[in-house]
C-alpha cells in the first residue's frame, strides 16, 4: 500500500531535473512578440557547473544547450534570441553560440531574430523510442482500437511522478485530444498515473509529495491547464485511494481531472521480460469527452474492449524476441571536428559531441556500456563518460546496471512534443525558401487531391520578379497537365502507360512545356516517404523565355533533386514514430 502523502515541503519554485528552478508561470511577464513569457526569479545561469548538486565532471556547454532546447520546447518550438536569453538567464553571446551550433546540427533554424526547432532534432527522441521498441510493436494495435471505437487511444510510460505519451491515435473532430507524443502530465491528474503509482517505492512517493508541495498548481506541466488553487490533503488522499483501487481493479479512470469534459479509462500493458512478468511496460488509454461518454460509460462500454486489446498487446510483446543486434554505429561525432575548424569559436564542439551521444542508442542498442558509447560516437572514453555523467544528472540517462546506460523518457522533452505535430508543408517551407533564393524561380510543393485527378499546392515561395508564376497555396490544377501531377500519377499508376508515366518514373522527374498555359514551363521531382511511396512533388515554374528545356535539366534539376533529398531526410526523421500530415 502506498505511503500517505504529506504536505511537509515548502511551497515555492519548482525544482527541475537539471537542478535549475522553474518559478510559477502565473508570475511570468509578457515577452515580446514571438517569445514566451519570462519568469522572474529564475537563476542567472541555470544548471551550469557550480550549481548545488551538479557533478564537477558535468559538461557545462551541454547543460546550457539542453536548457535552450527545453525552453524552445516549452515555447511550442519558437522563441526570439532575446527571449531565449531571458528564459535561460544565459548571456546573449552564449545563446548565439549555442543556437549557431544547434543550427549547424540542423536541430534548429535561425530565421532573423527567431529560433525554430527543426525536424532533425526528433532523432534524439527517435533514439529513445527506437530503443524502447514499444511504439513499433504496439502502435498498430492502438491505431486499430482507435478506429474501431472512434475514440482517441494513447500509450504512455512512467516518467518519475508523471506520465509521458509515446504514441497517440487521435480522432479529428471539434472536441478531440490535443496531447502530443512526448507531453508530460502529472500522475495524479491522469488515468495512467494511479496504475504507475502502484509500483512507486517510498522514495517515489516522497518525490511526488515534494513536487506537489513545491508546485501546488502544476505550473511546471505546460501540457495541462494549471490548477485554479493548490491541492489540499484531501486531494493527496484521493490519489492514494485511486492508486489502491487501481491495484485492486487492474484499471483506472480519469473523470475530468485534467480539465472539464475530458474522461479516460486506462489498463496497464505488462512486460513479459521482467522476472515475474508483471512490471508495467506502458499504459493504454481510451480518451473521450463527456459529450460522447461519461466516465462510468467508458468503464462499462469501452473497458472490456480495451482490456482485450491490451491482452493482444501483451501477447505481441511476449512472442516478439529481442532484435538481433545490427552493426553498431561508429564515428557519429567525427564531423564535429571539421565543423569546429570551419566555424571557429561560434561552434561549441562539446555541445555537439554531447548531443551525438544520445543517438548512439536505438533498436537493438537499448543499453550500452561506456566502451560501446565511445566506439559508436568515436569519442574518447573520458569525453563520452563526462557526457553520460551530465545526462544522468539531467535525468536523460539512467543506469539499469553498474556498467550500462539507457535513455529515459525525458529525452522526449527535447523538442519532440511540438515537432510531433509537424506537417509536410511546414517541413518543406524553409527548404523551398533556400531553393528559390538559389535558382531565382518560384518553387512549390504539391500533393495529389483525394479525387486522384487534381493536384493541390500546399506550400509555395515566389521569386521577386516583375513577371512570375501566380499560383497560391490551396490552388488546384488538373494533375495530367502539370509536372508535379505527372510525378504523382507516375507513382500511383505504375501500370499506366499514358503521358509517358513510365519514362517519368525511370528518369525521376517531369518537365511540362507550355501545356497548361502558354509560356509556362514547369519542372518537378518526387518527394518520397519512409516506405518509398511518392507523397508529394517539388516543383519549379518559370516563363519559357528564361530557360531552355535543356537548361531546365542541366541547371535546375540538380538543385531540385538535392532539395528534395533534404526534405525527404527531414520527413523520414519526423515520420519515424509520428504521422506527418501531407497538407
Amino acid at each position: 500500500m502506498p505511503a500517505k502523502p504529506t504536505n511537509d515541503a515548502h511551497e515555492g519554485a519548482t525544482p527541475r531535473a537539471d537542478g535549475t528552478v522553474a518559478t510559477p508561470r502565473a508570475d511570468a511577464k509578457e515577452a515580446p512578440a514571438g517569445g514566451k513569457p519570462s519568469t522572474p526569479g529564475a537563476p542567472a545561469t541555470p544548471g551550469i557547473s557550480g550549481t548545488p548538486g551538479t557533478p564537477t565532471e558535468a559538461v557545462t556547454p551541454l547543460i546550457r544547450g539542453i536548457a535552450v532546447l527545453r525552453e524552445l520546447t516549452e515555447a511550442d518550438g519558437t522563441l526570439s534570441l532575446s527571449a531565449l536569453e531571458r528564459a535561460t538567464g544565459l548571456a546573449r553571446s552564449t545563446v548565439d553560440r549555442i543556437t549557431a551550433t544547434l543550427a549547424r546540427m540542423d536541430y534548429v533554424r535561425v530565421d532573423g531574430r527567431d529560433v525554430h526547432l527543426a525536424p532533425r532534432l526528433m532523432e534524439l527522441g527517435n533514439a529513445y523510442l527506437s530503443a524502447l521498441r514499444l511504439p513499433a510493436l504496439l502502435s498498430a494495435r492502438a491505431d486499430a482500437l482507435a478506429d474501431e471505437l472512434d475514440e482517441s487511444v494513447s500509450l504512455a510510460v512512467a516518467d518519475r511522478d508523471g506520465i509521458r505519451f509515446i504514441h497517440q491515435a487521435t480522432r479529428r473532430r471539434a472536441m478531440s485530444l490535443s496531447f502530443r507524443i512526448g507531453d508530460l502530465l502529472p500522475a495524479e491528474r491522469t488515468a495512467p498515473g494511479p496504475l504507475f503509482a502502484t509500483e512507486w517505492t517510498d522514495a517515489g512517493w516522497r518525490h511526488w509529495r515534494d513536487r506537489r508541495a513545491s508546485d501546488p498548481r502544476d505550473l511546471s506541466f505546460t501540457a495541462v491547464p494549471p490548477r485554479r488553487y493548490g491541492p489540499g490533503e484531501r486531494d493527496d488522499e484521493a490519489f492514494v485511494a485511486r492508486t489502491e483501487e487501481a491495484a485492486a481493479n487492474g484499471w483506472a479512470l480519469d473523470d475530468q481531472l485534467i480539465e472539464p469534459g475530458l474522461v479516460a479509462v486506462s489498463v496497464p500493458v505488462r512486460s513479459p521480460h521482467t522476472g515475474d512478468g508483471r512490471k508495467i511496460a506502458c499504459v493504454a488509454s481510451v480518451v473521450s469527452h463527456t459529450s460522447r461518454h461519461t466516465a462510468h460509460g467508458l468503464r462499462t462500454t469501452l473497458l472490456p474492449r480495451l482490456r482485450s486489446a491490451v491482452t493482444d498487446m501483451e501477447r505481441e510483446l511476449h512472442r516478439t524476441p529481442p532484435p538481433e543486434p545490427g552493426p553498431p554505429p561508429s564515428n557519429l561525432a567525427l564531423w564535429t571536428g571539421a565543423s569546429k575548424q570551419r566555424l571557429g569559436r561560434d561552434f561549441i564542439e562539446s555541445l555537439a559531441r554531447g548531443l551525438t551521444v544520445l543517438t548512439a542508442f536505438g533498436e537493438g542498442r537499448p543499453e550500452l556500456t561506456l566502451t560501446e558509447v565511445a566506439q559508436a560516437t568515436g569519442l574518447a572514453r573520458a569525453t563520452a563518460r563526462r557526457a553520460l555523467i551530465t545526462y544522468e544528472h539531467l535525468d536523460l540517462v539512467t543506469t539499469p546496471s553498474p556498467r550500462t546506460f539507457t535513455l529515459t523518457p525525458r529525452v522526449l522533452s527535447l523538442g519532440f512534443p511540438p515537432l510531433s505535430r509537424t506537417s509536410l508543408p511546414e517541413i518543406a517551407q524553409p527548404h523551398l525558401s533556400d531553393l528559390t533564393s538559389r535558382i531565382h524561380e518560384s518553387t512549390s510543393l504539391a500533393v495529389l487531391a483525394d479525387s486522384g485527378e487534381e493536384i493541390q499546392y500546399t506550400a509555395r515561395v515566389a521569386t521577386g520578379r516583375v513577371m512570375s508564376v501566380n499560383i497560391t497555396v490551396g490552388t488546384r490544377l488538373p494533375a495530367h497537365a502539370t509536372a508535379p501531377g505527372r510525378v504523382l500519377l507516375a507513382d500511383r499508376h505504375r501500370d499506366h502507360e499514358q503521358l509517358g508515366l513510365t519514362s517519368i518514373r525511370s528518369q525521376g522527374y517531369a518537365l511540362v512545356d507550355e501545356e497548361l498555359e502558354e509560356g509556362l514551363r514547369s519542372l518537378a521531382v518526387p518527394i518520397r516517404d519512409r516506405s518509398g511511396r511518392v507523397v508529394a512533388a517539388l516543383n519549379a515554374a518559370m516563363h519559357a523565355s528564361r530557360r531552355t528545356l535543356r537548361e531546365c535539366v542541366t541547371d535546375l534539376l540538380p538543385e531540385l533533386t538535392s532539395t528534395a533529398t533534404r526534405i525527404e531526410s527531414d520527413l523520414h526523421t519526423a515520420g519515424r514514430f509520428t504521422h506527418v500530415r501531407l497538407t
Side-chain angles (χ1 to χ4, degrees):
M1 178 182 299
K4 294 281 184 182
T6 60
N7 293 318
D8 54 1
H10 66 280
E11 290 194 6
T14 304
R16 286 177 175 151
D18 60 4
T20 67
V21 174
T23 54
R25 61 188 180 203
D27 296 335
K29 294 182 180 178
E30 183 175 339
K36 64 170 279 185
S38 61
T39 342
T45 48
I48 65 169
S49 295
T51 301
T54 303
T56 56
E57 292 182 277
V59 183
T60 298
L62 184 54
I63 294 176
R64 290 171 169 171
I66 294 296
V68 166
L69 290 175
R70 282 180 169 164
E71 292 295 342
L72 283 166
T73 301
E74 292 184 8
D76 208 32
T78 300
L79 273 180
S80 68
L81 288 164
S82 57
L84 265 177
E85 178 185 358
R86 291 191 298 273
T88 60
L90 298 170
R92 176 59 181 268
S93 59
T94 302
V95 170
D96 288 344
R97 293 180 65 210
I98 289 172
T99 54
T101 303
L102 295 174
R104 177 65 175 171
M105 300 182 75
D106 291 328
Y107 284 176
V108 304
R109 177 171 53 87
V110 181
D111 183 10
R113 297 181 179 180
D114 291 333
V115 182
H116 308 270
L117 294 179
R120 179 71 180 274
L121 179 63
M122 295 178 74
E123 72 177 9
L124 303 183
N126 286 346
Y128 164 73
L129 294 172
S130 180
L132 183 67
R133 294 191 74 205
L134 293 177
L137 294 176
L138 306 182
S139 60
R141 296 189 180 276
D143 294 347
L145 181 62
D147 290 338
E148 176 188 341
L149 303 180
D150 194 26
E151 299 289 354
S152 294
V153 174
S154 65
L155 300 176
V157 294
D159 189 343
R160 300 189 76 175
D161 64 334
I163 72 154
R164 199 177 290 272
F165 294 109
I166 59 170
H167 181 73
Q168 290 282 4
T170 58
R171 302 293 89 186
R172 300 189 72 174
R173 55 171 64 104
M175 296 294 295
S176 63
L177 182 71
S178 61
F179 296 124
R180 306 160 299 184
I181 297 175
D183 272 338
L184 178 68
L185 278 60
E188 68 277 4
R189 292 178 64 182
T190 68
L195 295 165
F196 287 123
T198 62
E199 298 184 341
W200 286 358
T201 63
D202 289 342
W205 282 99
R206 283 196 300 271
H207 177 84
W208 175 74
R209 292 194 296 269
D210 290 344
R211 188 263 296 167
R212 293 273 283 169
S214 63
D215 184 19
R217 294 186 58 208
D218 295 337
L219 298 174
S220 59
F221 293 89
T222 55
V224 297
R227 293 175 179 270
R228 294 184 178 180
Y229 53 86
E233 186 174 348
R234 175 179 290 184
D235 295 315
D236 290 346
E237 291 175 350
F239 181 61
V240 173
R242 290 178 62 219
T243 301
E244 294 170 349
E245 291 174 1
N249 297 334
W251 51 268
L253 285 175
D254 166 9
D255 190 359
Q256 306 180 77
L257 295 172
I258 293 177
E259 65 177 32
L262 186 67
V263 291
V265 60
S266 297
V267 174
V269 181
R270 299 191 182 275
S271 171
H273 304 300
T274 56
D276 58 1
R278 303 305 299 161
K279 184 175 176 57
I280 298 174
C282 66
V283 168
S285 304
V286 176
V287 186
S288 188
H289 191 268
T290 50
S291 60
R292 295 174 60 84
H293 294 279
T294 63
H296 176 75
L298 280 180
R299 180 174 65 82
T300 57
T301 61
L302 301 187
L303 177 58
R305 185 62 195 92
L306 174 59
R307 277 180 148 167
S308 176
V310 165
T311 298
D312 291 339
M313 291 179 184
E314 291 176 339
R315 288 198 189 103
E316 186 73 28
L317 294 180
H318 182 76
R319 67 173 174 240
T320 304
E324 291 292 331
S330 61
N331 293 323
L332 290 172
L334 186 64
W335 64 274
T336 60
S339 294
K340 180 65 176 178
Q341 189 173 17
R342 176 180 175 183
L343 300 181
R345 70 177 303 276
D346 287 337
F347 184 78
I348 307 175
E349 190 171 12
S350 57
L351 169 59
R353 286 176 167 179
L355 290 172
T356 303
V357 164
L358 295 178
T359 64
F361 297 83
E363 186 175 5
R365 306 188 306 279
E367 295 183 22
L368 298 177
T369 64
L370 172 59
T371 298
E372 289 170 331
V373 171
Q375 290 174 343
T377 57
L379 299 175
R381 280 174 54 90
T383 303
R385 178 175 173 273
R386 289 191 65 199
L388 290 167
I389 288 173
T390 306
Y391 285 135
E392 190 171 10
H393 166 62
L394 298 177
D395 200 26
L396 296 169
V397 160
T398 189
T399 51
S401 72
R403 296 185 63 250
T404 62
F405 301 85
T406 188
L407 301 180
T408 74
R410 200 145 296 192
V411 173
L412 294 175
S413 70
L414 305 180
F416 214 89
L419 290 172
S420 69
R421 293 285 177 87
T422 194
S423 66
L424 180 55
E426 291 169 332
I427 290 173
Q429 193 69 37
H431 296 289
L432 295 184
S433 297
D434 291 342
L435 176 61
T436 296
S437 68
R438 294 197 307 272
I439 66 175
H440 307 291
E441 303 290 357
S442 297
T443 61
S444 59
L445 190 78
V447 298
L448 204 59
D450 293 338
S451 66
E453 298 178 354
E454 292 180 311
I455 61 166
Q456 178 181 348
Y457 288 92
T458 59
R460 178 163 175 79
V461 175
T463 187
R465 290 180 179 271
V466 174
M467 184 175 64
S468 61
V469 180
N470 183 23
I471 297 176
T472 59
V473 171
T475 297
R476 294 192 177 207
L477 295 173
H480 70 274
T482 65
R486 293 183 185 180
V487 165
L488 292 160
L489 290 173
D491 186 73
R492 172 170 288 195
H493 304 294
R494 288 188 168 272
D495 298 326
H496 205 302
E497 300 301 331
Q498 294 182 4
L499 300 175
L501 297 184
T502 301
S503 62
I504 290 172
R505 283 197 302 273
S506 62
Q507 68 191 15
Y509 69 90
L511 179 57
V512 172
D513 185 32
E514 302 188 74
E515 293 185 33
L516 180 67
E517 183 177 320
E518 186 176 348
L520 179 62
R521 187 165 288 165
S522 178
L523 177 69
V525 297
I527 303 292
R528 301 179 184 273
D529 64 11
R530 291 179 60 85
S531 70
R533 181 173 62 99
V534 175
V535 294
L538 173 63
N539 177 59
M542 70 221 75
H543 192 270
S545 63
R546 286 209 288 270
R547 280 184 172 87
T548 66
L549 292 174
R550 179 178 178 81
E551 287 171 339
C552 286
V553 175
T554 58
D555 299 345
L556 294 186
L557 182 58
E559 294 284 359
L560 262 69
T561 301
S562 63
T563 300
T565 299
R566 288 190 288 272
I567 294 173
E568 287 178 342
S569 178
D570 283 351
L571 174 61
H572 297 172
T573 300
R576 187 168 182 185
F577 293 104
T578 67
H579 174 71
V580 178
R581 292 180 293 108
L582 299 183
T583 58

